[in-house]
Amino acid sequence: MSKQMTGAEMVVQALRDQGVDTLFGYPGGAVLPIYDALFQQDSVKHVLVRHEQGAAHAAEGYARSTGKVGVLLVTSGPGATNAITGLTDALMDSIPLVCLTGQVPTHLIGSDAFQECDTVGITRHCTKHNYLVRSIEDLPRILHEAFYVARSGRPGPVVIDLPKDVQFATGVYTMQKNVQHKTYQPRLKGDMAKVREAVEMMAAAKRPVFYTGGGVINSGPQASELLRELVALTGFPVTSTLMGLGAYPASGENWLGMLGMHGTYEANHTMHDCDLMIAVGARFDDRITGRLDAFSPGSKKIHIDIDPSSINKNVLIDLGIIGDCAHVLEDMVRLWRSEAKKPDAAALKDWWKQIDKWRERKSLGFRNSADVIKPQHAVQRLYELTKDRDTYITTEVGQHQMWAAQHYHFEQPNRWMTSGGLGTMGYGLPAAVGVQMAHKDALVIDIAGEASILMNIQEMSTAKQYRLPVKIFILNNSYMGMVRQWQELLHGGRYSESYSDALPDFVKLAEAYGAHGIRCEDPADLDRAIQEMIDYPGAVIFDCVVAKEENCFPMIPSGKAHNEMILLDLADDAGIEMGSIIDEKGKMLV
Amino acid sequence: MNAIAALSPYSSSAGKTNTERHTLSVLVDNEPGVLARVVGLFSGRGYNIESLTVAEVAHVERWSRITIVTTGSPESIEQISHQLERIVPIHKVTDLTLHGRAIERELAMIKVRGKGENRVEALRLGDAFKAKVVDATTESFIFELTGAPQKIDDFVEIMRPLGLVELSRTGVAAISRGADPS
Ligand SMILES: Cc1ncc(C[n+]2csc(CCOP(=O)(O)OP(=O)(O)O)c2C)c(N)n1
Ligand SMILES: [Mg+2]
């Protein structure tokens, strides 16, 4: 198909051709022609957010819960700069986004025109790639190429900066099927010789572990299926990063729970003592490894990743396999089967015996209370009351995020949306808006903190406008709890500026936004209140008043190794001075 | 030990690894911003640039070659190559130093001011180094010299006491030896 149309019409046509049904945006002078083109059609739905950061996180939530590319549209200058946090978030967590930004007309670029900013310059560092479209002839190719780049290889955000004169210009649009980039063509299939070597190593392993990450989710649901199959075939234990939760079901026998700074005792000790680590779509981030020179000292390491730069970045790898998780896992499963491989059953039995001992520490345990709601208990009840529904969970950032990761259990991929790499407070509500747009009838819950939620609270208006029944479940501990916990551990309990003073009345706030407000302070009333939230047909803000000074355990203190975790019982031990656990070097780290 | 010490503050070891000097040859689409991407990568991730040159090498395809001389541990140089490969308009990254001794050349123009003895000596040494005189006044010469960076360093050191007043160098262009493209 070839057709004469304006640049603005090309944008909308390309969205349609790329199968985009929803985009998130906010208008302004430099994108008015595109808004006009959107006005005159109804196949692409525009969702009006209340802040451009919200548009980016909503697009992320949409992308991560559907596996599709998320799209946002913002104006030049402040529209573009407001989107930066969301773009950076998407870059860190490898979320495919296409961000369309308006720009002043080409002849004004560089003149400090009204609402001009160097968008491609500013976003060069926080996008996978970006384009400034200088002529209408380039526009159709760039539009399609951007989608290709965003979703191929290691996914990420792509910005297309669109000067206003290009939006008005007319040119020829050709429907381009399966546009690729002329040189950017990431390798999907792993090197078979290496896959074979990996399978040999796995069959010989005595203390193996799968360490899986967000790459398994990004690779698509098939990768999760294949992971499950490989775990079942080998009988190996499996742990996952924050970003990878749901790839292997939490109810699965071989599941160790999440690993890392707030991971389980069994997951971290298994990582520390293993003799073979099979990393799949994970990037050895500092929240995972703890002290690097004490990281899993006795193991051989296999690393499967689509991004060659992830291999050997922080940790030396014995066998790196570059490829897409699903492709490589498929080859592994096939080889394991066709060569009738068997794990070392005797060794594995001993290994599991050891792991079961670690499990007995029940590292996620906490002291419940009849007087005050414990935040962990609140997440557990939320889980019990929602697990049999079609549920999606998003979070903000802080202790509540870690408690959600520890106590909400995921059976499927794409059900858990959280800001991992960047740790962006204010992510959860707009992400929930994005998820709910894609899954109209699902139960979408943002597990939030009272501080984080205020960072993008304006998106309640978006929820109201589009009748999105998102549920905001605030674990209100009256503190920026994670900050307070670090101040307790590192700074002598001097809680400098971490108290959430002058909070709004969240029930009234809900009402002001046309939503339903619920406050619960009594553990005995919690189940009923959660049920009320679930049953309410519209958006809800649930102010769950929880214990103020609860700490998030277990924890690997910064600068320590996997086998140096603090557990609740240790932390409570009168003999241990909390402030002395992290040494001077550890204090330097974040 | 598994840690790549030099690269992460999370490592508590001192991070003593041997530093090497490598020449990377990077073939890119000659499009706006590509140089900024490369330079931004080096500054953003804290890598060193000793020298960087860029020019179009295929007019029809609009390809440019960027030649970068960098220093770091072998692991960090491998990481630099991979990080460069992530940049979408980069086609190919070749570590010429890993490919055997590459040919490296640089062009320099050296302005020397002086009279009498020094002037004669400068001219004589210029000759010995096969430098060309491309400009002269009664009290100055400009030499043009092409060669390996070390040769230029040597010449510059010799010219310094003889009245060197200004120096302009192109940075290194490099290519692998033998019949095959790198
Ligand atoms: C945008 C942003 N600013 C600052 C931080 C640093 N930070 C991390 S957690 C946190 C406190 C979050 O408080 P709250 O939302 O109440 O969650 P809690 O830890 O109490 O569960 C802060 C300030 C951040 N992650 N993101
Ligand atoms: Mg809080």
Side-chain angles (χ1 to χ4, degrees), chain A residues 157-228:
Chain A
V158 176
V159 161
I160 310 176
D161 201 24
L162 295 156
K164 198 168 178 182
D165 54 332
V166 175
Q167 299 173 37
F168 275 125
T170 44
V172 181
Y173 176 86
T174 2
M175 161 67 189
Q176 315 192 3
K177 269 236 159 73
N178 303 324
V179 170
Q180 298 202 341
H181 188 274
K182 54 185 181 300
T183 52
Y184 178 71
Q185 278 159 27
R187 166 178 192 147
L188 295 177
K189 210 172 144 52
D191 178 339
M192 268 321 273
K194 289 188 172 172
V195 173
R196 190 172 294 276
E197 203 181 328
V199 167
E200 296 297 334
M201 286 163 80
M202 284 160 62
K206 303 209 174 311
R207 300 186 310 280
V209 62
F210 283 106
Y211 148 48
T212 66
V216 182
I217 312 278
N218 279 336
S219 177
Q222 235 209 320
S224 295
E225 286 305 319
L226 288 159
L227 173 69
R228 291 162 191 220

Side-chain angles (χ1 to χ4, degrees), chain A residues 24-186:
Chain A
F24 304 87
Y26 206 95
V31 282
L32 287 181
I34 298 173
Y35 273 88
D36 201 37
L38 284 168
F39 189 80
Q40 301 179 40
Q41 55 86 51
D42 51 16
S43 50
V44 183
K45 177 153 184 71
H46 178 274
V47 176
L48 178 69
V49 294
R50 299 304 192 265
H51 185 297
E52 290 86 350
Q53 185 189 352
H57 295 321
E60 286 186 274
Y62 180 92
R64 204 162 170 78
S65 66
T66 60
K68 296 200 274 187
V69 177
V71 183
L72 63 150
L73 168 62
V74 301
T75 193
S76 65
T81 55
N82 270 351
I84 300 290
T85 301
L87 294 172
T88 312
D89 194 272
L91 184 70
M92 292 289 274
D93 286 343
S94 307
I95 311 292
L97 295 187
V98 168
C99 171
L100 304 155
T101 57
Q103 183 55 279
V104 301
T106 42
H107 70 277
L108 288 182
I109 289 178
S111 70
D112 298 325
F114 179 62
Q115 296 196 326
E116 180 188 357
C117 74
D118 177 7
T119 301
V120 287
I122 294 172
T123 60
R124 196 169 287 135
H125 301 271
C126 61
T127 53
K128 181 175 174 185
H129 193 46
N130 62 15
Y131 302 86
L132 169 61
V133 186
R134 286 163 195 277
S135 93
I136 186 80
E137 283 74 49
D138 296 333
L139 183 58
R141 173 188 58 84
I142 288 176
L143 285 165
H144 291 287
E145 202 178 279
F147 277 86
Y148 168 79
V149 170
R151 69 170 164 255
S152 311
R154 181 172 175 178
V158 176
V159 161
I160 310 176
D161 201 24
L162 295 156
K164 198 168 178 182
D165 54 332
V166 175
Q167 299 173 37
F168 275 125
T170 44
V172 181
Y173 176 86
T174 2
M175 161 67 189
Q176 315 192 3
K177 269 236 159 73
N178 303 324
V179 170
Q180 298 202 341
H181 188 274
K182 54 185 181 300
T183 52
Y184 178 71
Q185 278 159 27

Side-chain angles (χ1 to χ4, degrees), chain A residues 396-401 403 422-425 448-453 455 475 477 479-483 500:
Chain A
E396 307 290 336
V397 170
Q399 289 180 320
H400 62 275
Q401 176 189 29
W403 283 318
L422 195 63
T424 312
M425 293 169 70
E450 83 293 336
S452 296
I453 193 63
M455 286 216 177
L475 296 179
N477 53 6
Y479 277 106
M480 298 172 195
M482 192 56 95
V483 173
S500 289

Side-chain angles (χ1 to χ4, degrees), chain B residues 16 18-19 47 55 99 102 108 111 113 115 118 121 136 150-151 153 156 165 173:
Chain B
K16 276 218 181 56
N18 44 328
T19 297
Y47 305 145
H99 278 234
K111 187 179 287 187
R113 182 153 65 192
K115 293 201 159 169
N118 279 0
E121 182 65 3
Q150 186 60 49
K151 176 176 169 185
D153 290 347
V156 166
V165 288

Side-chain angles (χ1 to χ4, degrees), chain B residues 75-88:
Chain B
E75 293 84 8
S76 74
I77 288 171
E78 183 194 330
Q79 181 63 205
I80 291 171
S81 293
H82 288 316
Q83 290 293 347
L84 284 168
E85 281 163 356
R86 293 176 74 189
I87 296 177
V88 171

